[in-house]
Amino acid sequence: MARFAVGPVLGVASGFAAVQAALAGRYGFHRDELYFLAAGRHLAWGYVDQPPLTPLLARLSTAAFGAGPAGLRAVAVLLGAATVVLVAFAAKELGARRAGQVLAAAGAAVSALVLALGHLLSTASFDLFVWTLLGVLVLRLLRTGDRRWWLAVGAVSGIALLNKDLVLLLAAALLPSIACAGPAARAVLRGRWLPAGALLALLVAAPNLYWEAAHGWPQLTVASGISGKDGLTNRLTFVPMQLVYLSPVLIPVWLAGFRRLRDDGRVRWARPLGYAYLALCALVLVLGGKPYYALPPLLLLVMAAGCGPVAERLWRPGPEHRRGRVRLVGLLLVAALVNSLITLPVLAPRQLSVLSALYPESAEQVGWPELTAAVAAGWAAVPPEQRGRAVVFATDYGEAGALVHYGARYGLPASYSGHMSFYDWGPPPDSATGPVVLVRPEPYPAVERAFTGCRQVAEVDNGHRLANEEQHAPVLLCTGTVAPWSRLWPRLRHFY
């Protein structure tokens, strides 16, 4: 087996990290990041919509690297760079030599999803890394036949469960794929090591599982809401988004990986990888999950399987192969440019209107201080003698997170929301009988019926004429509530 190309692969990963670090603070926070920052102030073994790991990473990253967007995203940059290295290592496990490993690293580094998740801190940022690590461990298990690797797989799976329960889909796709791949593959399922690995995963994840059980499994409620609300759209866009997330440039390499896993006897042991990717796609389609659920690690690892033969063919002597290498390098540079333009803060915010139709998350990083300023204008309309019993309320965790993060800068009091885990962090006191400053991006009758005498006193303007969820959101000043907050609070809980 070829040696790992440490120098070139680390060079690619370092270039990826350098670009990400240079651009990390150009826009502002994303709405989810503001939520993670708020959740990091309320550390727990679980939240209604996620396990505890990403909020913990948000708190640690800002403590180590600073409270701004660049400090929060430092851990996402490191996870993305580590993923690039892991994809190259997977290519090495699959027999790729130096050129194939570098091609695998470069392919991962220019793919749209790796670029996007290396820029923003989200639950998917850690999933990308940990699922890819699981894929590499399973490849090592299948190649060596050493069933003791199940302990490492179990430990990493437990950590993955502390970030998101979706790793169970990976297990549901992978284990049957190994069982169906022939006697040699099935041999790794026998004995005590697989149950021992599963038990280790449960032990690592036990604190969050206990929290979930004690709170009535709220993540199932959130997941069913995602499927019910976006399931049809997710199913219709699943196949094209797989190709976009990887990059159209890499589709030939990806197809070469599928053909190799199917036909090449030298990597017959890795055939469950291809089966598992197809099984995972079927599971996500049935459940109505988001298209990126199937990308890490299996789509990237199938691509890695194709990097060895593609590189061997192009790195032969001869002018035609030299031209092929030049074309490949050019295509990778084009992919890097196009995907960076879409997923990274390269353009000025005013120029994002067209691109945000392709990648809405870019526009959701703009305008949060301006939203807070608009709420502060609404707060200024509250008579000074009433402010001691007034409340600021947001209908969405993004707006609530912005008000928590920026509110003190604008002289705002503590803010409240019934969305996701903001609900669990408590209602205002019943002594808060005064006016309510309410911000909501679109009409929300279930919330507005809780307040009386509402009138618009301000409007959000991000200053870039950029259409996003918060642009032109009204800020309402309401005279009060229809009941004390303790009675009203259960009516204000919502998950979507």
Side-chain angles (χ1 to χ4, degrees), residues 17-44:
V19 171
Q20 293 280 14
L23 296 174
R26 190 154 188 263
Y27 297 163
F29 293 106
H30 185 273
R31 65 167 59 251
D32 291 351
E33 292 177 317
L34 290 164
Y35 179 49
F36 298 142
L37 285 171
R41 299 181 181 182
H42 300 270
L43 291 178

Side-chain angles (χ1 to χ4, degrees), residues 230-318:
D230 301 323
L232 178 60
T233 301
N234 292 338
R235 292 181 179 99
L236 292 175
T237 60
F238 184 85
V239 172
M241 290 309 295
Q242 294 292 293
L243 305 180
V244 169
Y245 286 150
L246 180 63
S247 176
V249 167
L250 295 168
I251 292 173
V253 183
W254 177 61
L255 292 174
F258 260 120
R259 287 194 297 269
R260 185 179 180 217
L261 292 171
R262 184 191 64 194
D263 301 333
D264 190 343
R266 293 172 297 178
V267 291
R268 182 182 299 273
W269 54 269
R271 192 168 291 173
L273 190 69
Y275 296 160
Y277 172 68
L278 296 175
L280 183 58
C281 289
L283 282 171
V284 174
L285 281 169
V286 168
L287 295 172
K290 297 180 180 180
Y292 70 79
Y293 289 174
L295 182 74
L298 298 182
L299 183 60
L300 286 173
L301 298 189
V302 171
M303 182 271 295
C307 288
V310 169
E312 287 178 13
R313 186 168 62 250
L314 292 179
W315 263 258
R316 294 171 183 166

Side-chain angles (χ1 to χ4, degrees), residues 148-221:
R148 290 174 296 181
W149 281 104
W150 282 119
L151 291 179
V153 171
V156 174
S157 297
I159 296 170
L161 282 168
L162 290 175
N163 185 63
K164 198 185 289 181
D165 295 340
L166 283 174
V167 73
L168 296 174
L169 289 181
L170 178 61
L174 193 57
L175 292 175
S177 299
I178 294 174
C180 294
R186 281 197 295 272
V188 303
L189 301 176
R190 301 191 189 106
R192 67 181 184 276
W193 294 107
L194 173 56
L199 178 60
L200 182 57
L202 287 174
L203 289 174
V204 173
N208 174 249
L209 296 175
Y210 176 80
W211 187 96
E212 280 286 311
H215 290 78
W217 304 99
Q219 288 185 49
L220 296 178
T221 302

Side-chain angles (χ1 to χ4, degrees), residues 13 16 76-89 104-105 108-109 114 125-133 136 296-297 300-301:
F16 172 91
V77 173
L78 295 173
L79 291 170
T83 301
V84 169
V85 175
L86 285 172
V87 174
F89 195 83
V114 178
S125 301
F126 188 79
D127 274 350
L128 178 70
F129 163 74
V130 77
W131 282 39
T132 306
L133 177 57
V136 170
L300 286 173
L301 298 189

Side-chain angles (χ1 to χ4, degrees), residues 3 31 65 101 135 244 289 350 422 428 494:
R3 297 175 60 184
R31 65 167 59 251
F65 301 106
Q101 296 171 32
V244 169
R350 192 177 294 269
F422 268 97
H494 60 105

